[in-house]
């Protein structure tokens, strides 16, 4: 029975583990903050993916495929939002009115995944290629959702730790920090153009 799920889990690991807008945001955020400060953002990313999974399971992709202009507008808005998030870290250690250092928040994370073209693609493919072969509602919807959430927890955390490690290894050079941000923006643009 386990061999039935291994292809799905391999697909999820490959899709979530490779560079994409959410991973690049986690790496850039990791280069700015510690992991604990980013847990709300990570929880938001996971919540956003769960909302996207539910929407796709209910037929959102089928509905939107009839409106290509709307899909293009969503892609453009998503790129703008994720670039906005990345640029928020351009000046490190910005502070809020109360003097605390600004960090990525839960609600920002919730919005990222529904606006992430890579997330749409991976969830749609997971349902079309893997879940279609499962018989029970649990397998088709609950197992797929739990698998994505676990994959996000593992791989987004690893990308965050990569950002933290790179910051410690390379030093706190402002140019390296901004290089992370520019790399994130490049991946976001690539994801939107080649979706």
């Amino acid at each position: 029975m386990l061999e039935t799920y291994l292809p799905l889990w391999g697909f999820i690991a490959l899709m979530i583990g490779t560079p994409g807008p959410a991973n690049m945001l986690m790496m850039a955020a990791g280069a700015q903050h510690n992991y604990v400060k980013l847990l709300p953002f990570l929880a938001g990313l996971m919540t956003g993916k769960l909302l996207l999974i539910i929407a796709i399971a209910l037929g959102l992709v089928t509905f939107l495929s009839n409106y290509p202009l709307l899909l293009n507008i969503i892609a453009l808005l998503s790129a703008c939002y994720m670039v906005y998030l990345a640029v928020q870290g351009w000046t490190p250690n910005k502070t809020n009115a109360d003097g605390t250092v600004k960090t990525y928040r839960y609600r920002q994370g919730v919005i990222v995944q529904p606006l992430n073209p890579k997330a749409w693609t991976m969830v749609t493919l997971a349902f079309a290629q893997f879940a279609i072969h499962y018989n029970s509602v649990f397998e088709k919807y609950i197992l797929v959702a739990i698998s994505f959430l676990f994959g996000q927890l593992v791989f987004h955390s690893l990308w965050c730790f990569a950002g933290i490690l790179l910051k410690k290894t390379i030093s706190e050079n402002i140019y390296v920090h901004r290089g992370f941000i520019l790399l994130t923006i490049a991946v976001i643009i690539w994801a939107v153009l080649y979706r």
Side-chain angles (χ1 to χ4, degrees):
M1 184 162 172
L2 186 61
E3 64 274 359
T4 309
Y5 306 123
L6 285 177
L8 170 68
W9 293 334
F11 170 78
I12 288 173
L14 180 66
M15 292 301 288
I16 295 177
T18 54
N23 285 336
M24 297 309 292
L25 283 170
M26 283 301 293
M27 187 171 82
Q32 299 170 48
H33 307 286
N34 67 47
Y35 181 71
V36 174
K37 282 187 179 179
L38 295 171
L39 285 175
F41 183 67
L42 176 59
L45 288 173
M46 293 171 69
T47 303
K49 180 69 74 69
L50 184 58
L51 293 173
L52 180 63
I53 290 168
I54 292 167
I56 289 175
L58 293 173
L60 182 62
V61 170
T62 305
F63 171 77
L64 288 176
S65 65
N66 295 323
Y67 303 98
L69 178 62
L70 184 57
L71 276 174
N72 290 333
I73 291 170
I74 291 171
L76 180 62
L77 290 175
S78 71
C80 291
Y81 177 72
M82 287 187 270
V83 167
Y84 163 78
L85 280 181
V87 172
Q88 291 302 301
W90 191 259
T91 304
N93 302 322
K94 280 192 198 169
T95 57
N96 295 312
D98 62 1
T100 58
V101 175
K102 286 187 177 185
T103 186
Y104 294 89
R105 296 183 303 278
Y106 173 80
R107 76 170 183 259
Q108 292 171 318
V110 170
I111 298 170
V112 167
Q113 295 294 23
L115 295 178
N116 180 351
K118 183 181 174 193
W120 280 69
T121 303
M122 72 175 78
V123 172
T124 303
L125 285 173
F127 280 116
Q129 298 298 317
F130 301 100
I132 196 168
H133 301 294
Y134 301 146
N135 296 320
S136 71
V137 170
F138 173 80
E139 289 177 314
K140 283 186 179 187
Y141 303 109
I142 309 297
L143 179 71
V144 170
I146 290 171
S147 299
F148 269 111
L149 293 176
F150 180 75
Q152 283 184 278
L153 179 63
V154 170
F155 290 106
H156 290 339
S157 295
L158 288 174
W159 278 92
C160 180
F161 289 127
I164 293 167
L165 181 64
L166 283 172
K167 177 182 176 183
K168 288 181 180 179
T169 305
I170 298 173
S171 82
E172 295 203 26
N173 184 320
I174 190 71
Y175 299 110
V176 171
H177 172 76
R178 289 180 177 167
F180 283 137
I181 293 169
L182 292 174
L183 181 61
T184 301
I185 292 169
V187 169
I188 291 166
I189 292 169
W190 171 81
V192 170
L193 292 177
Y194 296 100
R195 59 187 167 86

